[in-house]
C-alpha cells in the first residue's frame, strides 16, 4: 500500500490530540488552493478546453432541444424525404420519412445524456458505498470482491438482453443495464482510494482520536476520494452514451418513435446507400460528444492527479 | 504459487455458482408463468405439464435449482421454443463463427494496438506520439457499429471490395470465409486496438524508464534490440491481460458486429432469442457467457502468473 509521502496536498501532520468525538480535526487544509490549482491545470490543457466547450454546447443544445429544434422530432413530411444537408429549412437534411435530422439529433442527444446521467447515478449509488466498505472494512473486502466478479461475468449487452427479456426494452432498462455494468469499475476506483487514504496519517489520527467508522469514512475518506470518483464518473458517461446508441441500434433500448441517435442509425441502415448522410450525421454526433467527454475526462484526470496521468 | 492458484480456483468456482444462481433466479423473475414462457407457441395443457415436469417448475425452489444445475452439467440447456432444436446444438453451430471472429479481431487489435503503443512510447513528445494518441482516442469514441455501417457503405457497397454481409464456413471455402470476415474483424478489432495501444504505451514507458533498460543501454545494446526484446515481452503480458479484461467487451461487440454483417454466430442467436422471447435460448446464452467469462479469467490469471513471476510472489504473499 502506498503511504503518505506520495500525496502532497493532504498532509496535516500535526493533529491536536484532543479527546472526544467533537474534536473534529481540520479537513485537509489546502482544499481551495488545490481546487484553484486544478482549474488552472485544466485551463492550460487545450484538448481539455476543447472537450469542455463541446460538452457545454452539447448539454445546452440537449436541454434547449424543444426551443432550438426547428421541427418536432417526429414530424413527418412525405413531400420532403431524403433532403440533402444544406437544403433550405433542413440544415442537416431529412430521413426517409422527411423528418428533420437536426431536430432528431437534438432530441436524440437529450436521450443520450439522460441515459449517461442515469447510468452514472446507478454506478455511483452502488459503487461508492461498496467501494468504501471494501476498502475500509477488511472483512467485507472478500464478499464485495466476489460480488464484483459476479457482475463482471455478465457483459453489458448480455445483461441488457436479460433485462429486456424480463422487463422489456426501454430507456430506463438500457440505463440500468449500462449502469450495472459500470459498478465494478466504480467499486475498484473507490476501494483503492479508500485503501490509500486509510493508510494516511490524518485518517489514522482521527481513528486514534476515537472517531467512529462512519465519521472517518464520511468526513475524511469520501471527501478526499472525490476527485477519483469524479474522474471515474466522467469516463463512465461516454461509455454509457455509446452503450445507449448500441442498445437502441439493436432494438434493446429506446423504442423507435422516440428519437435516439442509435435508432436513427438503425433506421438509416436500409437507406444508407441512397442517402449516406442519414447514417453519417447521427454517427458523427455520437463521435463528437463521446470524444469531447473522453478529452475532458483525460484532462480532468491529468489536472487532478498529474502523477497518475497517462504518461 | 500453489496457494495463489488454489485461492483463485476457489474464488472462480464460487463466482460460477453465484452466476448460475443469478441466471436461475432471472428465469423465475420472468413475468407470469415460466412454463408458459418456455412453452412458446405450444400452449396445450399436455406440453405445459411436460415442461413443468422437465424443469420442475412446481418443485421447491432449491430442488429446482438442483435440477437446473444437473441438467446444465449434462449439456441439457433445454430446447428452443421456436425451432425445438436443443440449445446446446444451436450453441455448437453458432460459437465457432463467433470464436473465429474474436480471434481475427484480437489479431487486428494486437497488430494495430501494440504497433501504435510502441511507437507512441518510443517517440514520446513527438508528432508520432501525438498522432498515435489521437487515433487511440478516436478509436475509443467511434461506435463500432457505426464504423461497420460506414465501411459497408464505402468499401462493400461503394467500392465492392468486400461482401457486405453473409458467411461462408471455413471448411467450405477458406478464402471466401476470410474475405467475409475482414470487415467484421476490422470493426471489432479497432475499438480493442485503442485499449491495447494505451496499455502497451504505458507499460513500455514504464519499462523504458526502468533500471535494467538503462543498464542494457549502458552496455551498448542498440535501440532495435532494446525495444524489440522488451516491447515484445511487455506486449505479451498486455495482450493476455486484455483478453481477460476485455472479454466482456469482445462478447458485447461480437453481438453488434454479427448483427451488422449478418454473421450466424452467438450474437445473432442471442438477439434472435430476445426478439422471439425464446427463453430457454436466452437462459443458455447468458449461462454460457457468464461461465466462459469466469473460466477464461481464471485461465488468464494462470497464464499471467506463469509469464510474470512478480504476480506469483505478490499473490503468495497476501
Amino acid at each position: 500500500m502506498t503511504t503518505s509521502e506520495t500525496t502532497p496536498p493532504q498532509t496535516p501532520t500535526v493533529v491536536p490530540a484532543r479527546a472526544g468525538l467533537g474534536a473534529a480535526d481540520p479537513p485537509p487544509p489546502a482544499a481551495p488552493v488545490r481546487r484553484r490549482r486544478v482549474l488552472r491545470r485544466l485551463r492550460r490543457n487545450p484538448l481539455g478546453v476543447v472537450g469542455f466547450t463541446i460538452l457545454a454546447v452539447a448539454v445546452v443544445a440537449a436541454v434547449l432541444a424543444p426551443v432550438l429544434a426547428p421541427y418536432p422530432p417526429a414530424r413527418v413530411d412525405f413531400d420532403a424525404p431524403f433532403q440533402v444537408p444544406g437544403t433550405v429549412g433542413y440544415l442537416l437534411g431529412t430521413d426517409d420519412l422527411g423528418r428533420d435530422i437536426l431536430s432528431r439529433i437534438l432530441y436524440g442527444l437529450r436521450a443520450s445524456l439522460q441515459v449517461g446521467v442515469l447510468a452514472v447515478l446507478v454506478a455511483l449509488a452502488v459503487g461508492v458505498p461498496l467501494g468504501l466498505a471494501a476498502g475500509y472494512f477488511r472483512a467485507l473486502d472478500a464478499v464485495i470482491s466476489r460480488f464484483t466478479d459476479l457482475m463482471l461475468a455478465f457483459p453489458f449487452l448480455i445483461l441488457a438482453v436479460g433485462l429486456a427479456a424480463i422487463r422489456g426494452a426501454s430507456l430506463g432498462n438500457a440505463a440500468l443495464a449500462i449502469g450495472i455494468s459500470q459498478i465494478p469499475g466504480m467499486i475498484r476506483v473507490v476501494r483503492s482510494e479508500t485503501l490509500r487514504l486509510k493508510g494516511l496519517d490524518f485518517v489514522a489520527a482521527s481513528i486514534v482520536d476515537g472517531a467512529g467508522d462512519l465519521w472517518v469514512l464520511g468526513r475524511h475518506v469520501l471527501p478526499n476520494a472525490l476527485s477519483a470518483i469524479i474522474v471515474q464518473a466522467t469516463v463512465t458517461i461516454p461509455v454509457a452514451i455509446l452503450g445507449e446508441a448500441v442498445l437502441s441500434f439493436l432494438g434493446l433500448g429506446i423504442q423507435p418513435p422516440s428519437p435516439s441517435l442509435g435508432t436513427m442509425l438503425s433506421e438509416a441502415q436500409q437507406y444508407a446507400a441512397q442517402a449516406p448522410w442519414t447514417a453519417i450525421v447521427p454517427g458523427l454526433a455520437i463521435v463528437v460528444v463521446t470524444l469531447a467527454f473522453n478529452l475532458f475526462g483525460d484532462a480532468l484526470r491529468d489536472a487532478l492527479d498529474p502523477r497518475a496521468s497517462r504518461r | 504459487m500453489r496457494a495463489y492458484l488454489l485461492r483463485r480456483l476457489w474464488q472462480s468456482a464460487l463466482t460460477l455458482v453465484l452466476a448460475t444462481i443469478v441466471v436461475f433466479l432471472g428465469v423465475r423473475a420472468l413475468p407470469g408463468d415460466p412454463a408458459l414462457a418456455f412453452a412458446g407457441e405450444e400452449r396445450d395443457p399436455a406440453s405445459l405439464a411436460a415442461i413443468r415436469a422437465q424443469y420442475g417448475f412446481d418443485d421447491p425452489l432449491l430442488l429446482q435449482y438442483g435440477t437446473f444445475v444437473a441438467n446444465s452439467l449434462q449439456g441439457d440447456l433445454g430446447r428452443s421454443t421456436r425451432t425445438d432444436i436443443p440449445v446446446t446444438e444451436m450453441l455448437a453451430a453458432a460459437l465457432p463463427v463467433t470464436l473465429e471472429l474474436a480471434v481475427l479481431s484480437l489479431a487486428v487489435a494486437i497488430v494495430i494496438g501494440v504497433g501504435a503503443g510502441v511507437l507512441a512510447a518510443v517517440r514520446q513528445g513527438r508528432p508520432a506520439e501525438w498522432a498515435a494518441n489521437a487515433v487511440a482516442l478516436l478509436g475509443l469514441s467511434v461506435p463500432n457499429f457505426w464504423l461497420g455501417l460506414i465501411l459497408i457503405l464505402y468499401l462493400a457497397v461503394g467500392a465492392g471490395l468486400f461482401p457486405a454481409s453473409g458467411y461462408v464456413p471455413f471448411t467450405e471455402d477458406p478464402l471466401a470465409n476470410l474475405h467475409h470476415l475482414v470487415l467484421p474483424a476490422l470493426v471489432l478489432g479497432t475499438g480493442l486496438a485503442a485499449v491495447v495501444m494505451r496499455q502497451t504505451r504505458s507499460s513500455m514507458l514504464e519499462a523504458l524508464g526502468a533500471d535494467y533498460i538503462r543498464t542494457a543501454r549502458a552496455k551498448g545494446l542498440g535501440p532495435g534490440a532494446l525495444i524489440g526484446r522488451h516491447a515484445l515481452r511487455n506486449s505479451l503480458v498486455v495482450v493476455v491481460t486484455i483478453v481477460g479484461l476485455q472479454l466482456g467487451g469482445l462478447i458485447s461487440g461480437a453481438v453488434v458486429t454479427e448483427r451488422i454483417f449478418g454473421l450466424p454466430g452467438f450474437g445473432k442467436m442471442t438477439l434472435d432469442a430476445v426478439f422471439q422471447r425464446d427463453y430457454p435460448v436466452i437462459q443458455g446464452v447468458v449461462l454460457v457467457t457468464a461461465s466462459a467469462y469466469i473460466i477464461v479469467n481464471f485461465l488468464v490469471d494462470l497464464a499471467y502468473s506463469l509469464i510474470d513471476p512478480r504476480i506469483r510472489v505478490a499473490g503468495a504473499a497476501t
Side-chain angles (χ1 to χ4, degrees):
Chain A
M1 201 193 306
T2 35
T3 39
S4 49
E5 78 269 5
T6 53
T7 40
Q10 66 279 92
T11 39
T13 38
V14 189
V15 175
R18 275 169 285 156
L21 260 177
D25 35 344
V33 177
R34 193 164 168 240
R35 199 164 302 144
R36 235 176 294 140
R37 199 181 314 157
V38 166
L39 282 177
R40 195 174 58 229
R41 280 203 212 104
L42 211 50
R43 268 204 307 274
R44 283 199 190 141
N45 185 333
L47 287 178
V49 172
V50 170
F52 180 78
T53 312
I54 298 175
L55 279 188
V57 171
V59 170
V60 169
V63 170
L64 295 181
V67 182
L68 291 177
Y71 303 97
R75 198 199 70 138
V76 171
D77 184 353
F78 288 116
D79 293 331
F82 296 131
Q83 295 295 309
V84 182
T87 311
V88 178
Y90 299 107
L91 194 59
L92 295 179
T94 61
D95 65 6
D96 56 313
L97 299 175
R99 292 175 296 191
D100 180 43
I101 291 179
L102 174 62
S103 306
R104 293 181 68 72
I105 284 185
L106 288 174
Y107 276 91
L109 212 53
R110 221 171 143 89
S112 294
L113 292 175
Q114 241 172 318
V115 170
V117 170
L118 280 176
V120 168
L121 288 180
V122 169
L124 284 173
V126 182
V128 171
L130 286 183
L132 285 173
Y136 194 81
F137 303 106
R138 285 216 81 142
L140 290 179
D141 199 11
V143 178
I144 294 171
S145 295
R146 288 296 73 69
F147 180 66
T148 314
D149 285 353
L150 182 63
M151 275 190 294
L152 283 171
F154 296 95
F156 109 90
L157 237 165
I158 297 296
L159 205 64
V161 161
L163 274 177
I166 296 173
R167 298 161 45 113
S170 69
L171 183 148
N173 285 342
L176 191 61
I178 298 165
I180 292 176
S181 70
Q182 296 301 317
I183 291 173
M186 188 63 78
I187 291 182
R188 207 184 54 220
V189 166
V190 178
R191 176 182 173 273
S192 74
E193 273 298 287
T194 309
L195 276 175
R196 181 180 71 81
L197 291 163
K198 206 185 154 191
L200 297 186
D201 289 344
F202 78 100
V203 174
S206 178
I207 296 171
V208 170
D209 207 24
D213 291 331
L214 280 180
W215 173 267
V216 173
L217 279 173
R219 181 99 178 91
H220 298 305
V221 177
L222 188 58
N224 285 297
L226 219 51
S227 56
I229 295 173
I230 292 172
V231 169
Q232 181 66 19
T234 314
V235 299
T236 299
I237 296 179
V239 176
I241 290 177
L242 285 184
E244 183 276 320
V246 167
L247 290 181
S248 300
F249 178 76
L250 294 175
L252 295 171
I254 295 168
Q255 295 302 303
S258 336
S260 137
L261 299 175
T263 49
M264 288 176 78
L265 284 175
S266 151
E267 286 159 6
Q269 228 178 336
Q270 310 171 46
Y271 312 105
Q274 189 183 346
W277 64 90
T278 56
I280 294 174
V281 175
L284 279 179
I286 300 177
V287 173
V288 168
V289 173
T290 318
L291 191 61
F293 264 111
N294 281 329
L295 286 174
F296 180 65
D298 281 353
L300 194 63
R301 182 178 12 221
D302 290 353
L304 284 168
D305 191 357
R307 278 168 302 105
S309 70
R310 292 156 299 120
R311 57 184 63 210
Chain B
M1 165 89 180
R2 188 194 275 164
Y4 166 70
L5 288 183
L6 277 178
R7 207 187 45 194
R8 280 293 297 126
L9 185 64
W10 150 245
Q11 288 172 349
S12 304
L14 185 64
T15 312
L16 196 57
V17 170
L18 291 174
T20 59
I21 294 177
V22 169
V23 175
F24 169 79
L25 290 179
V27 169
R28 269 78 197 164
L30 289 174
D33 183 356
L36 218 54
F38 271 50
E41 303 284 87
E42 295 167 50
R43 300 203 158 177
D44 57 291
S47 55
L48 278 184
I51 285 168
R52 280 218 179 77
Q54 190 194 345
Y55 295 96
F57 281 132
D58 293 329
D59 295 340
L61 215 54
L62 208 61
L63 188 64
Q64 283 188 42
Y65 176 69
T67 317
F68 166 67
V69 171
N71 284 345
S72 306
L73 283 177
Q74 291 166 17
D76 176 9
L77 295 171
R79 286 168 177 273
S80 160
T81 58
R82 296 282 149 167
T83 57
D84 206 39
I85 299 173
V87 174
T88 326
E89 235 171 72
M90 295 173 74
L91 284 169
L95 278 179
V97 180
T98 305
L99 280 179
E100 193 190 350
L101 173 63
V103 169
L104 290 175
S105 310
L106 271 178
V108 169
I110 289 164
V111 169
I112 300 178
V114 171
V118 169
L119 188 75
V122 174
R123 296 255 180 274
Q124 205 192 350
R126 298 204 220 156
E129 190 210 6
W130 193 86
N133 283 340
V135 170
L137 253 177
L138 213 57
L140 286 177
S141 308
V142 173
N144 56 7
F145 66 95
W146 184 61
L147 185 64
L149 285 183
I150 300 298
L151 289 183
I152 289 179
L153 192 57
Y154 289 104
L155 294 184
V157 178
L161 292 175
F162 301 97
S165 77
Y167 180 75
V168 179
F170 189 77
T171 46
E172 216 168 84
D173 184 350
L175 269 182
N177 166 278
L178 289 176
H179 196 209
H180 276 87
L181 284 172
V182 171
L183 290 185
L186 268 179
V187 165
L188 189 50
T190 42
L192 267 183
V195 184
V196 175
M197 182 265 169
R198 287 194 154 188
Q199 292 246 0
T200 306
R201 189 188 58 164
S202 62
S203 73
M204 269 295 286
L205 281 177
E206 197 183 308
L208 287 175
D211 288 345
Y212 70 94
I213 295 282
R214 200 186 48 203
T215 309
R217 196 176 278 155
K219 278 162 61 182
L221 194 63
L226 201 67
I227 289 154
R229 199 175 300 166
H230 296 292
L232 274 181
R233 180 161 304 178
N234 279 314
S235 340
L236 186 61
V237 180
V238 168
V239 167
V240 170
T241 319
I242 294 285
V243 171
L245 282 177
Q246 296 295 319
L247 185 68
L250 202 59
I251 294 172
S252 297
V255 174
V256 184
T257 310
E258 285 176 12
R259 162 73 161 237
I260 298 169
F261 290 96
L263 299 176
F266 187 73
K268 184 176 185 305
M269 180 179 162
T270 307
L271 287 175
D272 287 349
V274 174
F275 294 126
Q276 298 171 347
R277 310 214 151 262
D278 197 338
Y279 290 105
V281 178
I282 298 174
Q283 176 185 276
V285 159
V286 176
L287 187 67
V288 166
T289 312
S291 314
Y293 185 90
I294 294 164
I295 293 168
V296 167
N297 269 284
F298 174 69
L299 294 177
V300 163
D301 278 359
L302 200 75
Y304 209 46
S305 71
L306 290 177
I307 297 171
D308 191 342
R310 282 172 305 181
I311 313 280
R312 275 192 305 247
V313 179
T318 48

